[in-house]
Amino acid sequence: MGSTRSPRKDDLGQSTDLALVHRQRQITKGIPKESLENQTETHISGSPPAPFPSFHHPCLPFPPGHPPPPPPRQPLPPHWQGPLRDQQSVHMELLLAAAWNNHNPGEIRVKLDYSRLVTFYDPTFTSLVKARKGLDRNHHRLLSLSPVDYHTALVQLDEDLSRPTTESSGIDWRSVLRTVTDRYGDRIWLLKDSLDRREQKGVNSTEVASHVRLQVFVMLMQYLIYGAVPPDDDPSSGSRDREWLEPITTHCASTLTAGINLSKLTRSERLIKQSIDGVLYRICSTLTGVWADAFSVLNLPDEKVGKLLKGWSRSVNELVNWLDWPMWHTCRPACPEQVRDYEQPLHVRGS
């Protein structure tokens, strides 16, 4: 989710799970062990938080965020024949091996405990919310974490690690998160692609609008409520008076998590549910916003339809940019054989 509210959409997916793990490590990266122990003792004793320590560690042999130097070259064994691998081969195979786990289910040997996650996209850390304002995700850092928020993170971590394993809901959050991206990932992108076609020469606006209406209808079909229609037959009434859309939006945004018992959730699980609810509301409100105009769009003149298409495209593109799901970061059209589209993970780019 967005940086000014609960965790972003990108908490949805294994690639983001790895980024969460990385960010958990970042809070201790470069901090001497003694400093961490002192902070833990401070928390247990109830004293005020100690000053926030520096992330720079003088003992590091190489700068933070950079790979370690290569090992010294070894002599070839006796009777070796043929050349060794060159640097291009080494670098390319490194990228290919790293890409094995780019997509679901990701690194299957890693089993995240979603009931004990500490994420720095938690709006509780207000110092980071302020520091990220106006920045894209590639430039999000922990350097602006205040001493109070640093102490809060340690408190959360201490409480999570000391809590008995049985004290959680038992919900398979990975499957719930995956359900959201499976349900909307391809369809939202196809909707964006359909709206982008309006800028092509010779395209009939009404035909594009008809196709877009059908796509939105499909995504909202299971959430449409009998009687939830515009108040009259005027083609523009659906967009003027939008109260008829509220039950559809609510039903769409809440159905997936409506049956979850909040009293059984841990702090981390409540945050995940809040993230899912926020993402679904943003998706559903965007779709119902398009549906308000698309409901009777086929009864409108072409000039009016063209203006509506422009507004729909703006709304859907804003949604895509806000969600920024990893599945959309790929070659379009697909790369040919022997060509790879390599996009660095979020915690590597811009380090």
Side-chain angles (χ1 to χ4, degrees), residues 183-184 223 225 246-260 273 276-282 284-285:
R183 182 171 296 176
Y184 292 106
Y223 309 114
I225 299 173
E246 292 180 4
I248 301 175
T249 304
T250 301
H251 190 39
C252 172
S254 62
T255 299
L256 184 62
T257 61
I260 294 177
K273 181 183 180 299
I276 295 171
D277 291 341
V279 166
L280 288 176
Y281 183 82
R282 179 67 182 264
C284 295
S285 60

Side-chain angles (χ1 to χ4, degrees), residues 6-7 11 17 20 24 112-120 122-124 156-157 159-161 163 167-169 171 173 177 260 262 264-276:
S6 53
D11 288 344
D17 295 339
L20 283 173
Q24 285 177 266
L112 294 182
D113 185 349
Y114 287 87
S115 69
R116 303 175 194 267
L117 288 181
V118 176
T119 170
F120 291 102
D122 187 337
T124 300
Q156 291 183 358
L157 186 61
E159 291 176 348
D160 286 344
L161 295 179
R163 188 183 66 249
E167 293 184 10
S168 65
S169 67
I171 295 174
W173 289 106
L177 294 168
I260 294 177
L262 296 179
K264 295 184 178 181
L265 302 184
T266 65
R267 173 201 56 79
S268 175
E269 290 178 306
R270 288 195 299 271
L271 192 62
I272 294 173
K273 181 183 180 299
Q274 179 185 351
S275 175
I276 295 171

